Amino acid sequence: MPLTPEEVEVLQLSLKVALWSVLVSLPLAIGIAYLLARASFPGKTLFDAAVHLPLVLPPVVVGYFLLLAFGRNGPVGSLLNDWFGVVVMFKWTGAALAASVMGFPLMVRAIRLSFEMIDRKLEAAASTLGAGRLAVFATVTLPLALPGVITGMLLSFARGLGEFGATITFVSNIPGETRTLPLAIYTYTQVPSGDEPALRLSLIAVALSFAALFLSEVLVRRASRRMFGDDAHS
């Protein structure tokens, strides 16, 4: 049975929210991952724990803190509203923000591990040839970390597709605006005639998550072969 217009809308919104959550958080994730992988500073362990806190906190708690911070009367939300006229509460942008916060630790962890595995002799060689720190990072470090970047992006994307607790707490469950796949499935399970659409959307969610993980493995293998040769995954 084909998807109904309402289900298509839910699917399109979910993909948009998950995609933007990854794109917006990627630069910050790369920066923090590099900082955790290479730098030593007081409070690093505490900072590392704070970055990964959304992995262990109940998503509802994360959503509540987002509500306090980005609500109309919150410190960040009031500033965005007063200075830029931007409101994220009860908007799809708020759903993307919730998804990015929940997926951020996964992205940082994957990229950090990739940075830590890089042979620093390659970076040192580039420096001896006259490349500055920024040039070394852009031409040597970041390309070598590409498998981790890809993995982090796709894991965060999959996490964004499945985000429920933080989203419904922060931006509610509004059809056409914040009702993503998990929220739509939940809504359908609450009505007598909702079993069939709930099952269809659940199967779509499984397929999308599986596709993201499969694509991550394929792209990582391809990137590794390109950089390290055919024996990289043999």
Side-chain angles (χ1 to χ4, degrees):
M1 182 178 177
L3 296 177
T4 65
E6 181 180 355
E7 292 166 356
V8 171
E9 181 182 63
V10 166
L11 180 58
Q12 291 175 339
L13 177 62
S14 299
L15 292 172
K16 180 170 73 169
V17 165
L19 179 62
W20 276 102
S21 72
V22 171
L23 294 178
V24 169
S25 58
L26 180 59
L28 182 60
I30 291 175
I32 290 180
Y34 186 80
L35 183 68
L36 291 174
R38 298 295 179 86
S40 296
F41 53 89
K44 179 179 177 180
T45 301
L46 185 61
F47 178 69
D48 190 8
V51 170
H52 291 86
L53 196 57
L55 286 179
V56 294
L57 277 178
V60 173
V61 174
V62 176
Y64 177 66
F65 284 140
L66 287 174
L67 189 62
L68 292 179
F70 288 89
R72 287 184 179 272
N73 297 321
V76 182
S78 59
L79 185 147
L80 289 175
N81 186 31
D82 295 341
W83 286 20
F84 305 104
V86 174
V87 177
V88 295
M89 273 191 65
F90 310 123
K91 302 287 185 179
W92 73 267
T93 49
L97 175 61
S100 68
V101 171
M102 296 303 297
F104 189 74
L106 296 174
M107 192 186 302
V108 170
R109 188 171 184 81
I111 300 173
R112 176 187 179 179
L113 291 175
S114 197
F115 280 139
E116 290 175 342
M117 292 176 62
I118 293 174
D119 186 352
R120 297 204 184 184
K121 294 179 181 178
L122 298 173
E123 297 171 315
S127 296
T128 59
L129 295 175
R133 295 185 63 178
L134 185 59
V136 170
F137 178 81
T139 60
V140 178
T141 309
L142 191 57
L144 289 175
L146 185 60
V149 174
I150 293 172
T151 299
M153 289 177 63
L154 289 172
L155 287 176
S156 181
F157 179 81
R159 181 66 184 84
L161 283 175
E163 167 49 36
F164 176 81
T167 303
I168 198 170
T169 305
F170 179 40
V171 294
S172 191
N173 183 6
I174 304 172
E177 189 65 45
T178 66
R179 182 171 291 174
T180 54
L181 269 172
L183 274 65
I185 293 169
Y186 171 78
T187 301
Y188 283 128
T189 60
Q190 305 304 304
V191 296
S193 59
D195 287 347
E196 187 174 333
L199 178 60
R200 281 200 302 272
L201 292 180
S202 296
L203 293 176
I204 290 173
V206 170
L208 288 173
S209 299
F210 181 82
L213 294 174
F214 179 78
L215 182 61
S216 171
E217 181 65 20
V218 170
L219 291 177
V220 166
R221 286 177 178 270
R222 186 170 298 176
S224 297
R225 288 195 186 101
R226 183 174 299 172
M227 290 184 291
F228 304 115
D230 293 335
D231 295 333
H233 290 277
S234 60

